[in-house]
């Protein structure tokens, strides 16, 4: 059966401008903008005051802003796997942050958002940080994208990593291989330098704008995964000092400019009204980097923890005329929900394999009575550790060790300080009353704890839990470039 998007495209081909009008009433272009390590409190519309983010704030005033939006894990690769597959990362076997020498990647039997869109006749482009497998078989072109430009993994996995920059070049080279820049599957710069990193946000933006301008007659899915504001921070010479709030503010300001350029291109091409633009971040701020880290906006802890500061992120969505403007949604949702939401908008079938996300279009479109489609959301970190879950206003913390930045002060020169390691017990927080998770109320609500633990047990049976030595029945393997799994 032809999808709605394909029907629109065929009508455009057959009927010209009339077809475009019809396409405009069917399925939108999809633009997903995804920042790296940008904190919950890093945008003006989420309370940042040290610098301005006018274009991102515009997404909020002209669209919808979610207050309780989550990633599935507070770390890069796991979070990106969840976004692009609509599954908890544990279901698709990608956890943590894949290093340059990792042989893992998304299994070819999984369906990515790009493959979903391409099957509906969409042109697809990935720009920016990939971080879902360096071997060629796992790069974006092999996962549904027509084109790709960017870094294959984090910009700190590099001989100039903040942690090794005091070493000699020879010693650095032993720790990290040169960082390549890719165009498609090809390396176009084998050794990205600090000067090159200053150009990344600008180059990603130009690629995104060029892609939009080349696609005005076909529906498209554009995924822009900014390398910033992941450390080490870099900004263009033009952007230096622009925010008045130091390097971190300058970097955010440049991302904001990029969003402005992308919105401007959509308007100039006359497709603004037929494009849904969403913005989010892969995890919270990397607090040990001090003034080179973002803000959790008062939430507890940051990246690398399942406290709210690590997993709750900004989420903005704008589609003029379809997503009512200026709304704030307080219902919990997660990046995994974007996949089925896009599928719904395209009229595409969901994959035959189970996914965990649920269509949140009713929340985006302000349908009467719309509420979170999730009875509970679960947070795994490290290797299959189920560390926390949320159900309604309640957050249950499961006993685990975590790295803490509480009471510590970071440096201002781009180098990290050591975290303290702490132990969490079985703890309960009421996030509507206490979003900063300061008051453990487990003792006052034993029945709630018992009920949430029942849900946790179901999840442990599904996706496992190393902390309680449980094996799941619903985990699917990642692919391995050295030892291909049987599927
Ligand atoms: Mg990240």
């Amino acid at each position: 059966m032809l999808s709605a998007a394909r029907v629109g495209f065929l009508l455009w081909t057959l009927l010209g401008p009339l077809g475009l009008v019809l396409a405009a009433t069917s399925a939108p272009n999809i633009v997903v903008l995804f920042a790296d390590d940008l904190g919950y409190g890093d945008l003006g519309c989420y309370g940042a005051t040290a610098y301005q983010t006018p274009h991102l704030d515009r997404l909020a005033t002209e669209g919808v802003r979610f207050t309780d939006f989550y990633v599935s894990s507070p770390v890069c690769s796991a979070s990106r796997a969840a976004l692009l597959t609509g599954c908890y990362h544990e279901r698709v076997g990608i956890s943590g942050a894949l290093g340059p020498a990792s042989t893992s990647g998304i299994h070819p039997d999984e369906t990515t958002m790009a493959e979903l869109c391409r099957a509906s006749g969409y042109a697809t482009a990935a720009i920016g940080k990939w971080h879902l497998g360096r071997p060629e078989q796992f790069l974006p072109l092999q996962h549904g994208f027509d084109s790709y430009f960017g870094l294959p993994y984090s910009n700190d996995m590099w001989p100039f990593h903040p942690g090794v920059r005091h070493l000699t070049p020879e010693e650095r080279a032993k720790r990290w291989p040169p960082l390549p820049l890719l165009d498609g599957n090809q390396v176009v710069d084998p050794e990205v330098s600090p000067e090159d990193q200053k150009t990344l946000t600008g180059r990603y933006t130009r690629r995104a704008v060029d892609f939009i301008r080349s696609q005005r007659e076909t529906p498209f899915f554009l995924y822009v995964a900014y390398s910033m504001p992941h450390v080490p921070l870099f900004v263009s010479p033009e952007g230096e000092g622009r925010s008045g709030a130091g390097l971190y503010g300058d970097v955010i300001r440049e991302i904001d400019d990029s969003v402005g350029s992308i919105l401007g291109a959509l308007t100039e091409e006359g497709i603004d009204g037929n494009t849904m633009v969403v913005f989010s971040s892969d995890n919270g701020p990397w607090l040990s980097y001090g003034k080179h880290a973002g803000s959790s906006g008062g939430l507890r802890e940051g990246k690398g923890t399942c406290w709210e500061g690590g997993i709750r992120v900004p989420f903005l969505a704008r589609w003029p005329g379809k997503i009512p403007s200026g709304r704030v949604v307080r219902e919990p949702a997660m990046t995994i929900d974007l996949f089925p939401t896009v599928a719904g908008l395209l009229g595409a079938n969901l994959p035959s394999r189970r996914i965990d996300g649920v269509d949140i279009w009713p929340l985006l479109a302000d349908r009467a009575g719309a509420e979170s489609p999730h009875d509970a959301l679960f947070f795994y970190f490290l290797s299959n550790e189920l560390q926390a879950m949320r159900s309604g206003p309640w957050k249950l913390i499961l006993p685990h060790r975590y790295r803490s930045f509480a009471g510590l002060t970071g440096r201002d020169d781009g180098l990290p300080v050591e975290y303290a390691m702490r132990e969490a017990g079985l703890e309960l927080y009421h996030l509507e009353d206490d979003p900063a998770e300061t008051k453990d109320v487990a003792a006052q609500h034993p029945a709630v704890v018992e009920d949430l633990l029942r849900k946790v047990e179901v999840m442990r049976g599904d996706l496992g839990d190393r902390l309680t030595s449980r094996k799941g029945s619903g985990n699917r393997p990642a692919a391995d470039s050295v030892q291909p799994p049987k599927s």
Side-chain angles (χ1 to χ4, degrees):
M1 207 177 93
L2 287 174
S3 70
R6 173 66 86 179
V7 169
F9 177 51
L10 289 176
L11 285 170
W12 158 255
T13 308
L14 293 170
L15 303 173
L18 175 60
L20 185 63
V21 171
L22 291 169
T25 61
S26 53
N29 304 307
I30 306 292
V31 177
V32 176
L33 308 174
F34 208 50
D36 195 354
D37 295 4
L38 181 141
Y40 186 75
D42 278 348
L43 307 183
C45 53
Y46 282 87
T49 55
Y51 49 80
Q52 309 287 310
T53 54
H55 301 293
L56 285 157
D57 295 351
R58 196 182 137 204
L59 291 180
T61 54
E62 297 180 357
V64 61
R65 178 173 76 86
F66 279 55
T67 61
D68 293 52
F69 195 85
Y70 293 95
V71 291
S72 83
S73 193
V75 65
C76 301
S77 299
S79 177
R80 284 151 209 270
L83 170 76
L84 290 181
T85 65
C87 296
Y88 285 116
H89 60 283
E90 290 291 343
R91 189 168 307 287
V92 296
I94 305 272
S95 58
L98 304 177
S102 169
T103 58
S104 295
I106 296 176
H107 197 286
D109 289 352
E110 303 296 343
T111 304
T112 68
M113 205 183 301
E115 288 164 330
L116 177 90
C117 290
R118 181 189 264 178
S120 289
Y122 275 49
T124 57
I127 297 168
K129 168 169 156 176
W130 178 239
H131 215 178
L132 287 168
R134 172 65 185 93
E136 182 171 313
Q137 72 201 73
F138 303 136
L139 291 175
L141 297 199
Q142 286 64 249
H143 280 297
F145 289 99
D146 301 333
S147 64
Y148 171 60
F149 177 81
L151 302 182
Y153 43 80
S154 293
N155 68 319
D156 69 338
M157 295 174 167
W158 186 48
F160 299 91
H161 187 291
V164 302
R165 72 184 194 197
H166 60 287
L167 302 175
T168 64
E170 294 72 28
E171 287 172 317
R172 288 185 209 163
K174 287 183 203 157
R175 303 282 190 93
W176 297 102
L179 174 64
L181 180 70
L182 304 186
D183 192 339
N185 290 327
Q186 304 303 314
V187 173
V188 291
D189 181 350
E191 203 162 348
V192 169
S193 69
E195 285 302 308
D196 294 332
Q197 289 230 26
K198 293 181 182 176
T199 70
L200 285 177
T201 302
R203 291 171 85 179
Y204 292 170
T205 304
R206 285 191 289 280
R207 281 281 180 144
V209 167
D210 287 348
F211 175 75
I212 290 167
R213 295 202 191 288
S214 70
Q215 299 297 332
R216 71 179 298 271
E217 295 174 6
T218 51
F220 63 82
F221 167 50
L222 170 62
Y223 171 53
V224 182
Y226 295 102
S227 290
M228 298 290 129
H230 192 293
V231 292
L233 302 176
F234 288 99
V235 72
S236 67
E238 311 81 69
E240 272 177 40
R242 183 145 177 268
S243 70
L247 180 56
Y248 192 85
D250 293 346
V251 165
I252 299 296
R253 194 70 209 245
E254 193 157 59
I255 290 174
D256 188 72
D257 286 343
S258 173
V259 173
S261 297
I262 288 167
L263 292 176
L266 294 171
T267 301
E268 286 163 24
E269 295 301 325
I271 53 178
D272 183 54
N274 191 36
T275 303
M276 181 170 78
V277 178
V278 306
F279 179 91
S280 193
S281 176
D282 69 334
N283 50 251
W286 203 347
L287 296 175
S288 60
Y289 282 86
K291 287 195 172 163
H292 285 227
S295 164
S296 68
L299 300 177
R300 184 167 172 177
E301 302 290 356
K303 173 178 178 173
T305 77
C306 290
W307 299 100
E308 293 289 292
I311 53 177
R312 199 194 289 203
V313 292
F315 180 80
L316 306 168
R318 173 185 179 271
W319 181 6
K322 295 293 168 72
I323 294 178
S325 61
R327 289 173 46 248
V328 176
V329 169
R330 301 187 184 281
E331 294 290 316
M334 191 183 266
T335 47
I336 56 176
D337 299 328
L338 202 55
F339 183 106
T341 302
V342 168
L345 292 172
L346 270 57
N349 292 324
L350 290 175
S352 54
R353 293 181 145 206
R354 176 179 173 186
I355 69 164
D356 299 292
V358 186
D359 187 347
I360 55 168
W361 181 247
L363 286 173
L364 293 169
D366 197 22
R367 294 274 159 76
E371 56 185 21
S372 175
H374 296 281
D375 176 49
L377 290 165
F378 297 88
F379 303 99
Y380 283 85
F381 182 50
L382 300 176
S383 181
N384 197 229
E385 291 191 7
L386 181 51
Q387 296 187 349
M389 66 88 81
R390 175 169 181 174
S391 185
W394 298 107
K395 170 96 171 273
L396 187 71
I397 300 287
L398 298 159
H400 69 279
R401 277 171 62 75
Y402 67 97
R403 64 188 199 186
S404 175
F405 196 69
L408 300 176
T409 306
R411 299 164 58 125
D412 62 4
D413 59 357
L415 291 175
V417 297
E418 289 286 315
Y419 285 102
M421 291 305 296
R422 299 184 199 278
E423 297 270 350
L426 183 64
E427 301 171 22
L428 181 71
Y429 297 89
H430 191 285
L431 292 179
E432 286 173 9
D433 298 343
D434 180 26
E437 298 169 290
T438 61
K439 294 183 288 288
D440 172 17
V441 293
Q444 291 93 309
H445 299 280
V448 173
V449 172
E450 203 175 309
D451 178 50
L452 298 185
L453 279 174
R454 272 195 292 271
K455 299 178 200 291
V456 165
E457 273 306 297
V458 173
M459 186 46 116
R460 285 171 174 156
D462 184 3
L463 294 182
D465 176 29
R466 198 182 64 79
L467 292 167
T468 51
S469 304
R470 295 288 299 276
K471 289 271 184 246
S473 60
N475 307 78
R476 304 192 292 256
D480 190 289
S481 60
V482 178
Q483 294 179 305
K486 296 180 182 73
S487 61

